[in-house]
Amino acid sequence: MKDNQAKYPQLRFKGFTDPWEQRKLQEVLRERNNQQPQSMEYPLVSFTVENGVTPKTDRYEREQLVVGDKSSKKYKVTVLNDIVYNPANLKFGAISRNKYGNAVFSPIYITFLVNNDVTTPEFIEMFVTRNDFIKRALKYQQGTVYERQSVSPTDLLAMNVYLPGKSEQEKIGSFFQQLDETIALHQRKLDLLKEQKKGYLQKMFPQNGAKVPELRFAGFADAWVQREFGQMYKKVNEKNDLTFSKDQIISVANMYFKTDAATRSDDDYMKTYNIFRLGDIAFEGNRSKHFAYGRFVENTIGDGIVSHVFDVFRPFVDYDLTYWKYAIHNERVMGRILMTATTSSTMMTNLVAKDFLKRSMMVPELAEQKKIGELLSTLDKLIAANQRKLDLLKEQKKGFLQKMFV
C-alpha cells in the first residue's frame, strides 16, 4: 500500500491521474565525458552553488595573465540544458541545469546529457535540485573526511526515481519555470532598490571635505555645518535603577528587545546595565567587511537597557531621529571618524570616547535632515516589503516542490 501511495504526488494538475512510473536515473541522464580546449564557441566557465554554470570572474581573468596561455589544455564539455553537479559539493546544493550554453569547465564537475525521450530538462532540473532528492543522494557519499566526501555519478545514476508522463512533466516544468521567472523578477527589483539606497547614501552626504552633498532636495542651498560630536552628544552612564526589567534589554547588534528567558535577572546584575533611551547612540565594536572600525547604532525602538560594555551617547540638540539612524550608521561618513577614535584588538574595536567627541562631521539643517530621513526610510520600507514578497514566493516554491513530486 505504501509503495502504491508513493507513485502519486499530493498535488497535481487537473486531468492527470495515472501513477508515476519507477525508473533508474540512468534511463533519464547519461554522463557526457568529451573534452576539448576552450575556444570562442566553448569558453571556459565556472560552476558554483549560487549561479550554476557561470562565466569566470574578473579575478580569474587576472590570474590568466600571470599563469600564461592555457589554450591547449583540455576541459570537460557541457552544453545547454545539461544537468551538472559537483560530486564533492552536492551536500551544499551544487547541482543545476546548464542555462548558459556551450562551454568547458574543470573535469572535477560531472555533466549529464538529458534523455529527451523520457523527460524534459526543465522537469528533471526541478526533480534533482529538490532537497528530498539531494538527501537521498547523500546516502551514497564516500570518503573519510567530510569536506572531501562525494557522490559518484555511478551511484547517482543507480538511484530509483518516479516520473510522470511527458505531458505532465511539461506542465510541471513550465509551471516552475514561470515561478522561477517571477522570483527572479522580484529579486532584480529588490536588488535595484538596494542599489538605489546605496546610491542615495553615497550622494546625499558630503564626501571628501565637501560642504554640500552631490544630491539634494529642491529648496535647500545652504552649506552643511561642520559640528564636533561633543557639540551634539554627551557620553552618559545612566545605570539601571531597576526601572527596566530583563524584557527591556535591547540587542544593539540587531536593535530589538530581547526575550531570552535564560537572561540573568537578579537585582545586582540588572543594575550593571546602561539605560539606552530613544535617540541615544551606542557603539558596537565588532569589526566586519562593512565596518572596519566598528559602528554606531541609533536607538529607534524606545527606552530600554544595554550591557555596560556599550558606550552610550545622548543628543542634546534638536535632531531628526530617522536622519541620524542613517547618518550615524553610514560607513562612508563614520569610517574616517572612527579610524582615529578607536583602538583595535583581534576582532573588536574599542571607542575612545573623549577622542570621538572631538571628531566632527558635516550636518544639515533640521528641515533637510527630515527630508533625507523620510526618503531613506521610505526606501527601507519598500525593500522590506519586496523582501517579504520574495521570501513568500520562495516558500511557495518550496511547498510546491514537496507536494508536486513523488
Side-chain angles (χ1 to χ4, degrees):
M1 184 66 178
K2 286 184 179 179
D3 183 60
N4 187 51
Q5 288 176 340
K7 297 178 183 179
Y8 298 89
Q10 185 178 346
L11 184 65
R12 305 184 79 172
F13 286 101
K14 187 177 180 180
F16 295 100
T17 58
D18 292 340
W20 288 26
E21 295 183 1
Q22 181 175 312
R23 292 180 179 270
K24 292 286 186 183
L25 194 57
Q26 63 192 15
E27 299 177 55
V28 180
L29 302 175
R30 186 174 75 250
E31 188 173 358
R32 187 192 297 276
N33 266 320
N34 49 315
Q35 297 187 3
Q36 67 180 52
Q38 61 177 306
S39 64
M40 292 292 291
E41 185 181 357
Y42 287 85
L44 183 60
V45 297
S46 296
F47 179 68
T48 67
V49 174
E50 298 81 9
N51 301 308
V53 178
T54 187
K56 285 284 187 181
T57 63
D58 290 340
R59 177 174 177 270
Y60 168 79
E61 296 299 337
R62 289 196 296 271
E63 287 176 351
Q64 281 283 77
L65 296 175
V66 176
V67 175
D69 181 30
K70 295 182 178 179
S71 59
S72 62
K73 183 177 180 179
K74 290 187 176 182
Y75 299 91
K76 186 174 289 187
V77 172
T78 181
V79 306
L80 184 68
N81 287 328
D82 278 359
I83 299 299
V84 180
Y85 88 104
N86 183 337
N89 283 346
L90 183 59
K91 51 185 165 287
F92 303 119
I95 184 168
S96 68
R97 175 165 60 98
N98 178 353
K99 300 173 187 177
Y100 176 86
N102 292 348
V104 292
F105 51 29
S106 169
I108 67 171
Y109 306 129
I110 306 298
T111 187
F112 294 115
L113 170 71
V114 177
N115 183 351
N116 290 302
D117 293 334
V118 178
T119 189
T120 67
E122 295 80 11
F123 175 83
I124 203 63
E125 174 193 20
M126 291 298 107
F127 193 99
V128 299
T129 56
R130 292 160 52 242
N131 287 334
D132 288 348
F133 176 84
I134 292 174
K135 285 180 181 178
R136 285 180 56 208
L138 291 179
K139 294 178 181 178
Y140 299 97
Q141 279 192 132
Q142 296 179 1
T144 56
V145 180
Y146 177 76
E147 289 79 7
R148 297 182 180 178
Q149 288 180 333
S150 62
V151 179
S152 73
T154 301
D155 288 332
L156 196 75
L157 294 177
M159 291 175 61
N160 290 319
V161 295
Y162 283 98
L163 301 180
K166 282 287 293 293
S167 58
E168 188 171 3
Q169 288 186 39
E170 289 168 358
K171 274 276 190 182
I172 295 170
S174 177
F175 171 77
F176 279 101
Q177 185 171 349
Q178 291 177 19
L179 185 56
D180 280 342
E181 288 171 358
T182 302
I183 289 172
L185 178 65
H186 279 78
Q187 184 67 64
R188 287 193 296 271
K189 185 176 180 181
L190 179 62
D191 291 342
L192 178 60
L193 285 168
K194 289 180 177 180
E195 282 299 309
Q196 286 178 331
K197 179 185 173 183
K198 182 180 178 181
Y200 282 130
L201 285 171
Q202 291 175 347
K203 294 181 178 182
M204 299 191 79
F205 293 86
Q207 302 295 327
N208 301 321
K211 293 185 178 180
V212 295
E214 182 180 343
L215 185 64
R216 302 184 82 175
F217 288 97
F220 296 100
D222 292 342
W224 289 29
V225 179
Q226 186 165 317
R227 311 261 322 252
E228 289 186 359
F229 280 94
Q231 296 175 307
M232 301 178 288
Y233 289 88
K234 61 181 178 180
K235 189 174 187 299
V236 292
N237 290 293
E238 186 182 5
K239 293 298 182 183
N240 181 25
D241 58 1
L242 302 184
T243 301
F244 295 93
S245 67
K246 70 174 185 177
D247 293 331
Q248 292 165 292
I249 298 173
I250 294 174
S251 166
V252 173
N254 301 297
M255 199 46 58
Y256 66 88
F257 288 102
K258 295 182 180 180
T259 56
D260 185 0
T263 300
R264 181 178 170 183
S265 59
D266 58 273
D267 288 354
D268 287 343
Y269 193 75
M270 291 300 293
K271 288 179 181 179
T272 67
Y273 281 90
N274 290 327
I275 293 178
F276 191 38
R277 299 193 182 278
L278 183 70
D280 288 354
I281 59 175
F283 181 73
E284 200 266 331
N286 283 313
R287 299 167 63 182
S288 69
K289 65 179 181 180
H290 299 296
F291 301 98
Y293 305 98
R295 62 180 180 141
F296 271 102
V297 179
E298 178 96 16
N299 181 356
T300 58
I301 64 174
D303 293 357
I305 50 177
V306 294
S307 169
H308 65 279
V309 303
F310 295 108
D311 286 325
V312 175
F313 298 83
R314 186 161 297 156
F316 56 83
V317 295
D318 289 338
Y319 69 99
D320 181 73
L321 178 66
T322 307
Y323 167 82
W324 281 97
K325 168 187 173 183
Y326 297 102
I328 209 71
H329 197 252
N330 190 335
E331 172 72 0
R332 289 175 63 87
V333 175
M334 296 299 296
R336 60 181 177 80
I337 294 169
L338 293 177
M339 179 173 60
T340 58
T342 55
T343 58
S344 297
S345 58
T346 305
M347 294 297 294
M348 299 284 292
T349 54
N350 299 302
L351 186 72
V352 181
K354 61 181 178 58
D355 289 343
F356 166 68
L357 292 172
K358 293 177 183 177
R359 302 294 175 259
S360 61
M361 68 180 293
M362 302 303 294
V363 181
E365 61 178 288
L366 186 59
E368 191 169 4
Q369 289 183 33
K370 290 179 178 178
K371 282 284 189 179
I372 296 171
E374 287 171 1
L375 173 66
L376 295 174
S377 179
T378 298
L379 266 177
D380 266 349
K381 289 175 183 176
L382 283 171
I383 288 170
N386 278 274
Q387 185 67 65
R388 288 192 295 270
K389 287 181 182 178
L390 183 62
D391 291 343
L392 178 60
L393 283 168
K394 289 180 177 179
E395 280 301 309
Q396 288 177 334
K397 179 182 176 180
K398 184 178 177 181
F400 284 130
L401 285 171
Q402 290 175 343
K403 295 180 179 180
M404 294 180 71
F405 289 84
V406 172

